[in-house]
Amino acid sequence: MDTHTLTAFLAVADTQSFSQAAEQLFITQSAVSKRIALLEEQLNQRLFDRIGRKVSLTEAGDALLPRAKNILNEIKDATRAMGNLSGEVSGILSLAASHHISLHRLPPILRAFTRRYPQVTLDLRFHESEIAYNGVQHGDLELALITLSPHPDPMICSYPIWEDRLQYVVAKDHPLAKKPQVSLSELTGHAAILPSESTFTHQIVADQFQRNDLALNVMMSTNYLDTIRMMVSIGLGWSLLPETMIDESLTILHPNAEPIVRELGYIYHRDRTLSNAASALVSMLTNTE
């Protein structure tokens, strides 16, 4: 058993396809098949069921999957630890950022980082915060810049960098727009447009209503805040948006409730050794004004 066979196994498990795994690994499909066959021979277990074009994990494959990920992550961690000894800031930095942070917070930091450390290759992905969080949990990402979870996993190190104050907003001609103050109860009588229930932002908002024994009346959901701003501005419902996104098309409401502030920051896995590149980016983030 070696890293090549385990890498091929994970690629097939991820893509559920030998051909797509080959494309992902930049090798031929026959090379992938040979690696899987060798691994199955070494373990004396069938790892995949192949029915027509469909590829799925067997019970043995399911059992191997988390162990294979752990083995490869441990090898990567050891390699990073050895590489860090040189003090050189180089190599590949696997990083994910939420769409909102990518648009409104990250550009000047990335510009400064790439100019200061040209030897670093950024493997930068743009994900929803929850997907990026999952990527760090499973060792697929070294760092993620996201909306921090209100209920963090103890294995995840979370560090806030920015505070994003959210404001209740409606269109200029919304029935609540002219009221000097509204109650959360009044808001439940009108349609809301919020990110999906699986998002950290929705959880933060829902917590406030639940503490007041109120249920949200969500008419539509989308995880793109710019889309939410557009739908609110044409009168389809109320929402909460970061202050930085509020323009003249919206009216800010003043509910009799505590302000909602979500924390934006970076996360990494507690058991992972950060590369010099990741440590350098963390240093720049923590020195951000």
Side-chain angles (χ1 to χ4, degrees):
M1 191 185 305
D2 60 26
T3 58
H4 294 301
T5 57
L6 290 177
T7 300
F9 167 73
L10 291 181
V12 175
D14 179 51
T15 61
Q16 298 183 329
S17 164
F18 279 73
S19 60
Q20 290 181 38
E23 291 177 12
Q24 188 180 97
L25 299 174
F26 301 103
I27 58 177
T28 65
Q29 184 172 336
S30 63
V32 172
S33 297
K34 287 177 182 177
R35 292 182 185 183
I36 297 301
L38 175 60
L39 187 58
E40 289 180 327
E41 182 181 344
Q42 291 171 331
L43 296 173
N44 194 30
Q45 293 285 347
R46 190 176 186 85
L47 300 174
F48 294 101
D49 285 326
R50 305 162 181 83
I51 303 174
R53 294 186 177 182
K54 185 177 180 181
V55 178
S56 58
L57 286 167
T58 63
E59 184 177 356
D62 268 325
L64 177 61
L65 186 62
R67 292 168 174 82
K69 288 182 178 180
N70 288 339
I71 290 168
L72 291 178
N73 284 334
E74 288 291 336
I75 292 172
K76 289 178 184 177
D77 195 57
T79 302
R80 275 192 301 272
M82 296 302 101
N84 285 352
L85 296 176
S86 69
E88 183 179 350
V89 180
S90 60
I92 298 173
L93 172 56
S94 58
L95 169 72
S98 71
H99 300 290
H100 179 72
I101 291 177
S102 300
L103 287 172
H104 300 282
R105 306 280 187 174
L106 196 54
I109 296 167
L110 279 187
R111 182 173 60 245
F113 181 82
T114 53
R115 288 177 178 175
R116 188 177 302 179
Y117 304 109
Q119 299 305 312
V120 175
T121 300
L122 285 176
D123 175 16
L124 178 59
R125 311 168 202 183
F126 303 102
H127 287 319
E128 293 171 6
S129 292
E130 300 70 33
I131 294 174
Y133 195 93
N134 186 265
V136 171
Q137 278 181 312
H138 290 88
D140 300 324
L141 295 165
E142 189 169 3
L143 284 176
L145 296 168
I146 61 170
T147 299
L148 299 182
S149 171
H151 311 292
D153 185 319
M155 296 306 294
I156 297 296
C157 295
S158 303
Y159 295 91
I161 301 295
W162 307 282
E163 282 194 345
D164 222 12
R165 179 164 176 164
L166 304 180
Q167 296 280 7
Y168 287 91
V169 290
V170 292
K172 294 288 187 182
D173 57 354
H174 191 278
L176 297 177
K178 301 301 182 184
K179 300 196 69 170
Q181 190 174 57
V182 298
S183 65
L184 294 182
S185 179
E186 283 180 284
L187 284 172
T188 62
H190 297 267
I193 306 170
L194 294 172
S196 67
E197 291 184 8
S198 63
T199 64
F200 299 148
T201 299
H202 185 108
Q203 292 167 26
I204 292 168
V205 176
D207 282 349
Q208 182 171 76
F209 280 78
Q210 287 168 5
R211 289 194 300 270
N212 288 274
D213 297 320
L214 296 170
L216 287 165
N217 175 19
V218 180
M219 180 185 69
M220 298 184 211
S221 288
T222 174
N223 294 344
Y224 293 98
L225 295 183
D226 289 290
T227 303
I228 289 178
R229 177 174 60 184
M230 178 275 294
M231 291 195 291
V232 171
S233 70
I234 61 175
L236 298 184
W238 63 264
S239 189
L240 288 99
L241 289 173
E243 289 180 333
T244 54
M245 296 185 65
I246 298 173
D247 57 25
E248 65 280 355
S249 68
L250 302 173
T251 294
I252 296 175
L253 300 179
H254 301 283
N256 56 345
E258 295 178 5
I260 290 184
V261 177
R262 63 177 188 172
E263 292 185 322
L264 311 179
Y266 68 90
I267 64 170
Y268 62 88
H269 199 284
R270 191 176 301 278
D271 290 340
R272 187 163 194 169
T273 301
L274 291 183
S275 64
N276 287 343
S279 295
L281 180 57
V282 164
S283 178
M284 292 186 72
L285 288 167
T286 52
N287 288 314
T288 300
E289 293 295 333

